Every structure is written in structure tokens, then in C-alpha cells.
Amino acid sequence: MILKMFNKINIHFYFCNMKIFRTKYILFLILFLFSLQNFAQNKKKEPSKNYKKIYKAASNFFYFGNYRFALNEFLKLREQDSLNVEYNHKIGLCYLYTNIDKTKAVKYLEWVVKQDRFDPNAWYDLGRAYLYAYRINDAKNAFNKFINLGYKDRNPIPAERQLEYCKNAEELMANPINVTFTNLGEEVNSPDPEYNPYIVGDESFIVFASKRDKNYGGAMDYEGFVPADVYLSQRVDNTWKKAKQLATTINSYMIEEPVGLTADGEKLLLYFDNEFGKADIFVSEGNGVNFKRAETFGDKLNSKSLESAATYSIDKKIVVFSSNRANSKGGLDLWMIQELPTGEWGNPVNLGDSINTPYNEDYPYFAPDGETLYFASTGHNSMGGYDIFKSKYNKVDNTFSKPENIGYPINTPEDNTVISFSNSGKHAYIAAVRPEGLGYQDIYRVTFNDIEHKKYLISGVILNSENNLFYGNYADMTDDVGFINYEMDSIFNNVNEINKEFNNYNSEILNKLEDFKKNVDNLPQVTIKVVNKKDNTVQGIYRPNKYTSKYIIIIEPGDYQFTYSCSGFHDVVKDFFIHDYENNSNIEDANVTLIPLFNEN
């Protein structure tokens, strides 16, 4: 494969397949890029005096896929010669190939195609830039102009397929899904790339890949970043804690990325591109947030080809993985292995035409519901690059339903690959480049607003100033009604229900019961007013049970103010901020003590 890196291949082909090249040559690239980086950092302030050196550095950075460093150098060259077509074109390409604001490529490529002479691929590249900017009609015009020039299309994704992306984008954007994005913040994200987030079902911790400066590697990968390490962040008291690297039993000086995690957190699947595995899948056994030394999954999954991601079924009897091995339908395909009665893994089976396409399928993920397989694909009705799709798995006949695009704005014209869900399906985690991000890709929590929130219970009892039940003084009213069951609060809803339940009792007891209910109805009434602090609307007015002093309020996550009121007593105000994370528990200790306005003496 190293010959491919030194042959003058089309840069588009290299970019789309760079993942395959990462391991075998990283030591060579580290040495080469270090020398270039030292030059970039130590050059004189007047770039015009070092034009040839700057141009050589820019070209080498670009050739080896370090578009981040190449961009800086070409921008400096352009300051000296703003009318240079090559500089402007390559600046545009650098923006397209880095995970920052790709729309910045537009103005440079628009200028290029207005010149008399330029690389005809600039029309193709401009079409991509327009698509990233959601200028769909302009993108279609640019791709059609490239096609009409009649040049052989050597791009890995042909212009005709890009036109299909445009059509898919129009359709998906016309029917967006109702979601909200929440950045996980500086405790998890950094100015460097964070990606491949995987959450356990109760959202108690998350693992992800990051290329931040403090990684174990210390050197640079071909993109100009420190090679990826695996990080973990715990959520304590509904707050994400500072993310930390996993130990050297997982991370090394080269590339390790999480590519799967079971909902119970017991098995972490890893992509290793290091001294232990060459583009292979490893697995680490977990116990809470601690993971053992990773071991290779074995030759039923790994091969001499690229294996890039994998997922366990809920019962851990099936593994779906991605590979570009022989007999794939095109690029990366999804394959499946099943556990045999002997405990060994069976031979891999291609998931077939219903899932796989002539393009790439990658990053499979079984959701906690046990039947939904999510995966990334550049095929099907993608709106550009990788989109995330879902398919239902039928355990009975071992088949998968026709994949569905999960929709915009989770999917965009950029690459969207990994998604990981909480147990309820209300929330998921993705990596994305968004305006509110900290730099490159950040980790986001996605809320599916059309899925009903999990309800939470706030319960407690009303107490008097002597710390007794507020209605305890009236308990003697029940002495003559021995058959009353205090656990059956619903019995006292109305007289008609009581008559139905106790129609076999004599009229004397029923009369006593009616007298009892009248007395209870005349007791001072405690009310609980619940206000949503977000918009100051009244969520509801609630009352405790007059026979037990207990109240139960069922409520959705949010920020609330509870006001406890009763005639002759001081109001009590309590605030409740209820998070919507999966492992929230019911609030059972919301007891309230009411103090009289005036002392009885």
C-alpha cells in the first residue's frame, strides 16, 4: 500500500481511503512531519524570503494529507500572490479536507473557476463546498458543469453520485427530525478532535477518541494531530467529570479508538492501529469504568484486510463488524459472526444487498432495544459522505429490514458516522462539527423531542411543627371505622365508589363512614403549586392525601418551583431541578414542615 502514497494519485481518492494507510507508515510519517513542523515553527517572519522552502513544505504537507498544516502554509503563500490559481485551489481543498468550517472553501474555489486556466476538478470541489454550505442548487450546477466538461471522473465519489446526494439532501432537509443538540462542555471536549462517542445505557459514563496534545503518543499522525487515545468521562450528580485517558493497557503511542460498547458497559470494542494490531478489532472486559488489557477478537473477525468497527448484540451472541475483505460488495461491508454452541465464533457472513452497497458501510451499532442496528453508509440515500442509517433485525429469520436514513439535522453533507443511544432511546450521543463547538469535532448529546420524556416521581409527606404528620391530629376520627385500609387511598374518592365497595355493610357503618368523610373534607387544605421556571407557567396544583399526609407528583425533567400553602401557615418554597439522564432516581424524600403563622398560646 505504501506505493499508493508515493504515486501521484488523485487527492480525492487518497482522502477517502486514508484510514487504510495509517499504521504501516506512521513511523516514517512522524519523522518526516516532525522535520516539516520544525521548519514551520522556526521560519523567518518574512515568508517572501523563504518562498521555495514554504512552497515545498506546503506541498509536502498537502501530499501526505496533513491539510491542517498545509492550509497555514498556502494561506501565507497566497498573501504574497493572491492571484495564484494553485494556491487558491489548494486552500479550498484544505478547508474541504479538515473538520472545521468547510464552507470557507467556497470563496477560494469560486475565484478559481472564474480564471482562464484551472484544474477542471475545481468545479467538482466547488460543488462539494456548496453542498456543505447547503447551497443545493449551486452545488448541482457546479457538478453538472464538471460533468459537461467531458473529463474522466477519477473522484472516488463520482459527480453523478454527488448529484444524488444533492437530491437526497433536498428531500431530507424538507422533513427535518425534531432534535436538540447539547455540547458536553469543556470537561469532555477540547479544541482538538473528539469522535466515536459510546455511552452505556444509563448514561453513567462515556468513552470516546480524542487527538488532544496530552496523548501518550506525543508525535503527530498524518493529519498533524497526536495519534488518537481512548478517553472516559463519568457523570456524577448529573455533571460530566473531567475526561481521562484509559491506562496503557488500552492506549499506546500509536492509534487506539473505541468502536463499540455494550449497553451494560461490560465489553469495550477497540480499533487498534499500533504495534499489537494492524487495523484490527480488540476487546476489553469492563467492570464499571475500569477496563482490562485489550485482547484481539480473533481471526473469525480480524483478517489481513481492514476491520474498522464492531458491535455486540444485546445477548452478546452476535457481532456485526465492518471490513473490506474479499467478497465485499464494494469498499467496507458489514459482516456478522454468531456464537456457536461450543462457545466459539462461527464464520463471518456478509449482511447482503439489503444493507451493503457498492459504497462504504461502517460503524455498526446495536441499540439497547436489542433489535435496531444503526450504521454509517456513503450509499443508500445519503445526503453527502457518510450518513447514519437504521435497520430492524429479525432474530427469527436472521434478516435485516431495508435501511432508513435517520434524518437531518443529525445527518448532514459532512461525514456522520457514530451514534450511541441511552436505554430509553430518548437521547443519543454523536460527534459533530457545529458552530457552538470548541474546535474540531465535539461530542454532543442529542435529545429526540418527539419521544416522550421519562416521568419522575417527587413524593414526600407534610409535617407539622412538631415533626408529626400534618393530618395526624385527626387520626382518632377513624377509631370507629375499623375496616378502613389506609393503603387504599382511592377508596375515599367519592361516596358512590364507597357504596359499591361496601354495599354489604349495614347502614349504621355507612353513616359513620359518611360522617368521617365530611369531617375530613373540612380539614385545612394544603396545596402544592408547581411552576415551570423556564417559562413561569403553572405546571399544576396538587394536594396531599388527608388520610396519610402523603403526596406524589409525577413530572417530566425540568426546572421547577414548588410552593406549599395552607391557610394559617407560612408558605414553604422548594426548588427542584430534575435532569433527564437515564439513571435519575425518584425523589422520595421531599418532606415539608408547615409552621403556623401564630403560636397557639
Side-chain angles (χ1 to χ4, degrees):
M1 287 190 292
I2 197 164
L3 293 176
K4 294 182 181 178
M5 299 185 65
F6 292 100
N7 288 336
K8 294 186 178 297
I9 60 173
N10 186 285
I11 194 65
H12 305 293
F13 177 82
Y14 170 73
F15 176 72
C16 291
N17 291 276
M18 64 175 68
K19 187 173 183 179
I20 302 175
F21 306 143
R22 292 194 294 193
T23 302
K24 294 184 179 180
Y25 327 106
I26 192 165
L27 293 177
F28 170 79
L29 292 178
I30 286 171
L31 295 174
F32 178 78
L33 293 173
F34 255 138
S35 65
L36 294 179
Q37 184 185 33
N38 289 336
F39 163 75
Q41 292 175 342
N42 298 319
K43 60 185 177 298
K44 295 180 180 179
K45 291 185 179 180
E46 298 103 350
S48 58
K49 296 181 180 179
N50 291 306
Y51 167 80
K52 290 184 179 179
K53 290 183 179 179
I54 296 174
Y55 180 77
K56 183 178 180 180
S59 298
N60 283 328
F61 282 136
F62 189 90
Y63 184 80
F64 282 98
N66 188 341
Y67 302 108
R68 187 163 64 111
F69 284 10
L71 176 61
N72 293 334
E73 302 308 311
F74 277 117
L75 285 170
K76 292 170 184 175
L77 289 170
R78 187 181 179 278
E79 288 179 2
Q80 305 301 313
D81 184 4
S82 63
L83 301 181
N84 187 296
V85 174
E86 179 190 2
Y87 300 164
N88 282 276
H89 193 173
K90 286 188 174 176
I91 289 170
L93 287 172
C94 286
Y95 278 120
L96 291 179
Y97 295 155
T98 51
N99 280 312
I100 48 180
D101 186 356
K102 298 178 187 291
T103 64
K104 290 183 177 180
V106 169
K107 72 175 184 178
Y108 297 99
L109 296 173
E110 283 183 335
W111 181 87
V112 168
V113 298
K114 292 177 182 176
Q115 307 313 303
D116 293 332
R117 301 182 66 179
F118 58 89
D119 181 349
N121 281 293
W123 278 114
Y124 177 93
D125 300 325
L126 180 57
R128 292 181 60 211
Y130 281 143
L131 185 56
Y132 290 131
Y134 299 101
R135 294 169 57 177
I136 309 299
N137 287 332
D138 289 334
K140 290 190 288 187
N141 290 335
F143 289 129
N144 280 319
K145 285 185 178 181
F146 172 74
I147 293 171
N148 292 335
L149 288 174
Y151 289 92
K152 187 172 182 178
D153 190 345
R154 299 182 182 275
N155 296 291
I157 300 178
E160 287 83 358
R161 176 60 178 162
Q162 295 284 3
L163 288 172
E164 293 176 4
Y165 285 163
C166 292
K167 178 184 176 185
N168 296 336
E170 287 178 319
E171 293 175 354
L172 291 166
M173 291 172 64
N175 298 282
I177 57 176
N178 184 13
V179 293
T180 302
F181 298 92
T182 303
N183 190 296
L184 263 58
E186 295 180 356
E187 297 303 303
V188 173
N189 293 310
S190 75
D192 298 312
E194 278 77 40
Y195 56 100
N196 288 18
Y198 290 93
I199 193 79
V200 285
D202 66 359
E203 299 181 88
S204 59
F205 71 87
I206 187 172
V207 293
F208 60 94
S210 180
K211 293 186 176 183
R212 57 191 68 181
D213 292 338
K214 295 182 180 180
N215 286 2
Y216 289 116
M220 290 187 302
D221 66 7
Y222 62 91
E223 293 178 303
F225 290 101
V226 176
D229 276 356
V230 182
Y231 281 73
L232 182 147
S233 175
Q234 290 179 267
R235 189 175 57 79
V236 179
D237 295 330
N238 298 313
T239 300
W240 289 106
K241 298 302 179 182
K242 188 72 174 177
K244 296 181 180 180
Q245 292 163 282
L246 295 186
T248 52
T249 52
I250 301 294
N251 290 314
S252 75
Y253 65 93
M254 296 180 75
I255 299 170
E256 298 82 31
E257 298 171 347
V259 292
L261 178 68
T262 55
D264 58 14
E266 291 183 355
K267 290 184 182 290
L268 173 62
L269 291 158
L270 299 150
Y271 171 85
F272 271 17
D273 215 347
N274 55 25
E275 61 183 312
F276 303 106
K278 307 301 181 186
D280 284 340
I281 302 300
F282 279 60
V283 61
S284 173
E285 302 288 337
N287 179 15
V289 296
N290 298 310
F291 289 93
K292 299 178 182 178
R293 183 176 298 278
E295 299 180 355
T296 180
F297 200 99
D299 57 9
K300 290 297 183 180
L301 190 158
N302 292 316
S303 69
K304 293 181 180 180
S305 301
L306 167 68
E307 282 75 42
S308 56
T311 183
Y312 279 98
S313 61
I314 294 302
D315 61 7
K316 301 183 181 72
K317 301 294 185 182
I318 295 173
V319 171
V320 175
F321 65 96
S322 53
S323 175
N324 65 347
R325 63 188 58 197
N327 299 319
S328 291
K329 297 185 179 299
L332 290 163
D333 273 10
L334 297 190
W335 299 74
M336 180 170 67
I337 55 176
Q338 293 182 280
E339 188 178 67
L340 302 174
T342 60
E344 298 176 320
W345 292 101
N347 292 322
V349 176
N350 190 290
L351 292 194
D353 293 339
S354 63
I355 298 293
N356 294 314
T357 69
Y359 301 96
N360 287 326
E361 280 70 45
D362 205 349
Y363 296 103
Y365 165 75
F366 268 116
D369 66 6
E371 63 177 17
T372 307
L373 177 71
Y374 291 85
F375 64 95
S377 175
T378 57
H380 301 291
N381 63 325
S382 167
M383 63 183 290
Y386 278 107
D387 273 12
I388 300 171
F389 293 81
K390 65 179 180 180
S391 172
K392 292 292 184 181
Y393 173 57
N394 187 325
K395 230 175 184 181
V396 176
D397 57 11
N398 217 28
T399 60
F400 291 87
S401 67
K402 181 180 178 181
E404 298 178 28
N405 191 305
I406 68 170
Y408 169 85
I410 292 180
N411 286 325
T412 70
E414 301 193 35
D415 284 335
N416 311 104
T417 54
V418 170
I419 193 166
S420 179
F421 280 84
S422 65
N423 284 331
S424 68
K426 175 73 176 176
H427 304 284
Y429 290 74
I430 65 169
V433 180
R434 293 179 57 82
E436 68 271 27
L438 302 184
Y440 287 76
Q441 296 126 302
D442 276 0
I443 308 301
Y444 286 84
R445 186 179 191 239
V446 181
T447 300
F448 291 80
N449 298 316
D450 292 336
I451 296 178
E452 187 177 352
H453 272 289
K454 179 181 177 180
K455 300 295 193 299
Y456 295 91
L457 298 182
I458 297 180
S459 64
V461 293
I462 309 298
L463 303 172
N464 60 26
S465 56
E466 297 176 353
N467 213 32
N468 295 319
L469 294 178
F470 185 78
Y471 292 117
N473 295 334
Y474 308 99
D476 56 350
M477 293 181 183
T478 66
D479 290 345
D480 294 330
V481 191
F483 62 86
I484 294 177
N485 183 346
Y486 285 94
E487 298 298 322
M488 298 177 61
D489 294 342
S490 62
I491 290 177
F492 303 102
N493 286 340
N494 55 67
V495 175
N496 289 332
E497 287 296 322
I498 293 170
N499 289 334
K500 291 177 183 178
E501 296 290 332
F502 301 102
N503 56 10
N504 293 327
Y505 289 91
N506 59 48
S507 60
E508 181 180 352
I509 295 179
L510 289 176
N511 289 335
K512 286 185 178 182
L513 185 60
E514 285 212 36
D515 290 340
F516 171 74
K517 187 176 186 304
K518 289 177 182 177
N519 288 329
V520 171
D521 288 342
N522 291 328
L523 295 178
Q525 180 64 65
V526 177
T527 60
I528 307 169
K529 181 181 179 181
V530 178
V531 174
N532 189 326
K533 293 168 67 175
K534 180 179 180 180
D535 53 13
N536 207 35
T537 57
V538 176
Q539 185 78 18
I541 305 292
Y542 305 89
R543 295 173 178 81
N545 188 289
K546 284 187 176 180
Y547 308 101
T548 64
S549 298
K550 185 176 182 179
Y551 71 93
I552 298 175
I553 296 174
I554 301 175
I555 203 165
E556 291 185 351
D559 193 3
Y560 299 98
Q561 183 179 83
F562 283 37
T563 302
Y564 302 80
S565 302
C566 185
S567 177
F569 294 84
H570 290 282
D571 286 353
V572 175
V573 177
K574 294 174 74 73
D575 291 326
F576 293 96
F577 184 61
I578 305 171
H579 291 270
D580 59 351
Y581 290 101
E582 294 290 326
N583 64 353
N584 253 2
S585 59
N586 297 339
I587 303 174
E588 297 285 359
D589 58 350
N591 298 338
V592 173
T593 300
L594 296 181
I595 307 298
L597 289 171
F598 305 100
N599 290 331
E600 294 182 359
N601 355 336

